[in-house]
């Protein structure tokens, strides 16, 4: 039985319900990595590293100094950076299809799987910075303002780059059935 | 322009993974709890010591024990120790309480001295006195915030947005930034996403906006 420490474990200083944070942010952090690295197994490992770090360092988070999502995704960015530095590659493996394996897939499942594989392949071709912005926007569900805070780009710049990337991806998406 | 198709890669994490991670994360030993235990232990120890000193029956043996400790120190000669972790307790070995900003060790006892150990240094929180190029690699400058002292740690940014504003830097939040040099008194300040996104003279270029705890020896 897990022992949940919510509120008060940091003396109530941050006023954060860490259990609720886990519930809310787990899917977002996980999908950030899923968009960034592709592989489900790697995404799970990196997600685990983020939450373990966040829990160890929770006394450093100050609610009055910044948004929790910025703090958490800054940790996630660092974990990703360390991962790529270690592995010296940024290729997104085309695992979107295989990992959803089903012994007897029905037609819709097959179609969905193919769609995901195609999208995964399109993302894999993006330059690292653009892929990161896409992962933060569509994987993590961050706003342009939050992305700007994290990346050091201006909010307008984030919007412009994303618009361009999405346009290109959309063209490719429609070109290659 | 529709970007709906880009959301199609989203998926919930596997429930087994989510459950296992939840258990692992929240059952990890808590540093804060250890700190709290340490403080409680210290308070209990002090209470016992003060009570024992107040009772005449126990005072005598305690005095003898203290004398033995001090006699042992009288044979000591100069020693040089690296600074201790900041979390270590705040007392001298001879039992004297130091001001809260000082640490207990290292102390140096001069040869022949018996009762008055000399404090050789202390930890204190200070602000940087300069922000400039620390070193070059080829034509690339590496900027650093310069501090007086050694073994810099627990760094903070005091400018607009505080520590959180540093998280967008290429080196991550300020607590990931590296210390540099033999004395570890220069905090390397990332350029991309931090210094170079602000014109010189702005808050990020002000040395006084960088604060850290350093050993002053």
């Amino acid at each position: 039985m897990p022992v949940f420490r919510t509120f008060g474990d940091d003396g109530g200083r941050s006023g954060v319900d860490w259990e609720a944070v886990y519930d809310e942010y787990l899917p977002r952090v996980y999908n950030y990595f899923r968009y960034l690295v592709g592989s489900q197994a790697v995404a799970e490992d990196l997600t685990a590293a983020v939450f373990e770090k966040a829990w160890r360092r929770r006394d450093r988070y100050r609610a009055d100094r910044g948004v929790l999502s910025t703090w958490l995704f800054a940790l996630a960015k660092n974990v990703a950076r360390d991962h790529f530095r270690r592995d010296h590659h940024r290729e997104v493996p085309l695992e979107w299809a295989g990992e959803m394996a089903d012994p007897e897939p029905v037609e819709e499942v097959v179609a969905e799987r193919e769609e995901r594989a195609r999208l995964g392949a399109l993302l894999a071709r993006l330059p690292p910075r653009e892929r990161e912005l896409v992962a933060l926007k569509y994987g993590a569900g961050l706003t342009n303002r939050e992305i700007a805070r994290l990346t050091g780009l201006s909010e307008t710049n984030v919007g412009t780059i994303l618009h361009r990337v999405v346009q290109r991806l959309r063209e490719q998406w429609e070109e290659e059935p | 322009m529709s970007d709906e198709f880009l959301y199609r890669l989203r998926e919930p994490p596997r429930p087994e993974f989510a459950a296992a991670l939840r258990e692992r994360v929240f059952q990890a030993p808590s540093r804060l709890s250890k700190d709290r235990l340490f403080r409680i232990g210290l308070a209990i120890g002090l209470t016992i010591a003060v009570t024992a000193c107040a009772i005449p029956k126990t005072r005598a043996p305690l005095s003898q024990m203290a004398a033995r400790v001090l006699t042992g120190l009288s044979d000591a000669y100069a020693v040089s120790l690296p600074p201790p972790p900041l979390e270590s307790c705040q007392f001298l070995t001879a039992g004297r309480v130091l001001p809260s900003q000082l640490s207990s060790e290292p102390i140096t006892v001069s040869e022949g001295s018996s009762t008055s150990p000399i404090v050789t240094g202390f930890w204190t929180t200070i602000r940087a006195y300069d922000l400039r190029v620390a070193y070059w690699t080829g034509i690339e400058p590496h900027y650093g915030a310069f501090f007086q002292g050694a073994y810099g740690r627990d760094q903070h940014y005091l400018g607009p947005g505080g520590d959180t504003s540093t998280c967008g830097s290429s080196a991550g939040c300020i607590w990931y930034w590296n210390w540099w040099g033999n004395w570890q008194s220069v905090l390397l300040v990332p350029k991309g996403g931090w210094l170079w996104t602000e014109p010189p003279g702005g808050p990020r270029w002000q040395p006084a906006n960088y604060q850290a705890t350093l050993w002053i020896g």
Side-chain angles (χ1 to χ4, degrees):
Chain A
M1 179 74 183
V3 182
F4 295 125
R5 302 179 184 91
T6 56
F7 291 107
D9 196 59
D10 54 1
R13 212 166 24 164
S14 64
V16 174
D17 179 347
W18 292 103
E19 194 184 342
V21 167
Y22 180 84
D23 290 337
E24 186 189 339
Y25 283 96
L26 179 73
R28 296 176 63 184
V29 172
Y30 169 75
N31 275 300
Y32 162 67
F33 287 125
R34 197 78 166 99
Y35 275 62
L36 202 61
V37 299
S39 156
Q40 184 189 55
V42 177
E44 286 184 352
D45 283 350
L46 299 180
T47 304
V50 170
F51 281 96
E52 282 164 357
K53 269 189 179 176
W55 178 247
R56 280 200 306 272
R57 296 173 182 182
R58 66 196 182 284
D59 56 318
R60 295 185 182 179
Y61 171 69
R62 298 280 179 277
D64 56 328
R65 284 198 179 177
V67 184
L68 183 77
S69 62
T70 309
W71 181 75
L72 203 57
F73 280 102
L75 287 179
K77 268 190 71 185
N78 280 312
V79 166
R81 192 189 55 194
D82 291 346
H83 167 74
F84 288 124
R85 195 182 285 162
R86 259 196 323 270
D87 290 7
H88 298 290
H89 65 78
R90 290 181 73 97
E91 285 77 32
V92 177
L94 301 177
E95 294 176 18
W96 295 94
E99 286 172 1
M100 302 293 288
D102 189 2
E104 287 178 50
V106 290
E107 210 168 305
E108 298 98 70
V109 176
V110 173
E112 189 191 319
R113 202 182 289 170
E114 282 171 358
E115 259 189 358
R116 293 163 73 84
R118 268 188 64 210
L119 265 176
L122 290 182
L123 285 187
R125 286 187 226 149
L126 290 177
R129 190 178 74 156
E130 293 183 352
R131 194 189 309 159
E132 180 173 50
L133 292 183
V134 169
L136 288 168
K137 177 80 178 178
Y138 298 96
L142 295 181
T143 62
N144 288 2
R145 178 170 295 182
E146 288 171 318
I147 296 172
R149 259 202 300 262
L150 272 169
T151 54
L153 298 168
S154 71
E155 194 179 339
T156 320
N157 210 352
V158 170
T160 310
I161 297 172
L162 277 172
H163 181 82
R164 229 172 21 223
V165 174
V166 171
Q167 199 169 23
R168 205 165 61 232
L169 286 172
R170 178 153 197 83
E171 283 165 11
Q172 292 168 349
W173 176 251
E174 286 167 355
E175 269 171 21
E176 302 169 17
Chain B
M1 187 181 56
S2 169
D3 55 2
E4 186 276 330
F5 71 103
L6 275 170
Y7 289 102
R8 293 184 201 173
L9 285 181
R10 270 200 185 174
E11 64 184 18
R14 289 183 306 118
E16 316 87 76
F17 162 69
L21 179 61
R22 176 190 288 269
E23 190 156 348
R24 200 162 80 215
V25 167
F26 292 116
Q27 282 190 332
S30 163
R31 191 160 62 84
L32 287 167
S33 298
K34 280 181 192 165
D35 286 350
R36 199 173 293 161
L37 279 176
F38 173 76
R39 278 189 223 120
I40 292 168
L42 196 63
I44 292 171
L46 275 175
T47 310
I48 292 171
V50 169
T51 310
C53 288
I55 301 169
K57 233 179 182 178
T58 52
R59 197 186 300 151
L62 274 176
S63 305
Q64 281 167 14
M65 203 188 300
R68 269 202 302 277
V69 169
L70 293 175
T71 309
L73 280 176
S74 70
D75 296 332
Y77 47 89
V79 288
S80 178
L81 302 169
L86 198 52
E87 293 80 4
S88 67
C89 84
Q90 305 278 319
F91 297 91
L92 281 176
T93 48
R96 268 173 35 195
V97 181
L98 291 170
S100 62
Q101 77 272 26
L102 304 183
S103 68
S104 57
E105 290 175 346
I107 56 168
T108 297
V109 181
S110 304
E111 199 166 355
S113 165
S114 59
T115 55
S116 303
I118 301 159
V119 179
T120 58
F122 54 92
W123 288 99
T124 189
T125 300
I126 55 175
R127 294 183 183 200
Y129 66 88
D130 200 2
L131 198 146
R132 58 181 156 84
V133 175
Y135 64 93
W136 295 80
T137 46
I139 54 163
E140 190 193 0
H142 297 271
Y143 285 82
F146 287 70
F147 289 84
Q148 297 282 5
Y151 305 102
R153 55 185 294 168
D154 197 24
Q155 56 271 28
H156 291 285
Y157 175 65
L158 306 173
D163 287 350
T164 311
S165 69
T166 66
C167 293
S169 76
S170 57
C173 305
I174 190 169
W175 50 84
Y176 293 107
W177 297 3
N178 294 320
W179 288 93
W180 177 77
N182 290 336
W183 297 102
Q184 294 174 45
S185 58
V186 179
L187 179 66
L188 288 178
V189 180
K191 300 177 290 285
W194 183 246
L195 266 190
W196 289 351
T197 56
E198 188 167 89
R204 294 174 185 185
W205 290 88
Q206 304 296 329
N209 278 336
Y210 297 87
Q211 178 186 274
T213 301
L214 276 87
W215 176 256
I216 309 291

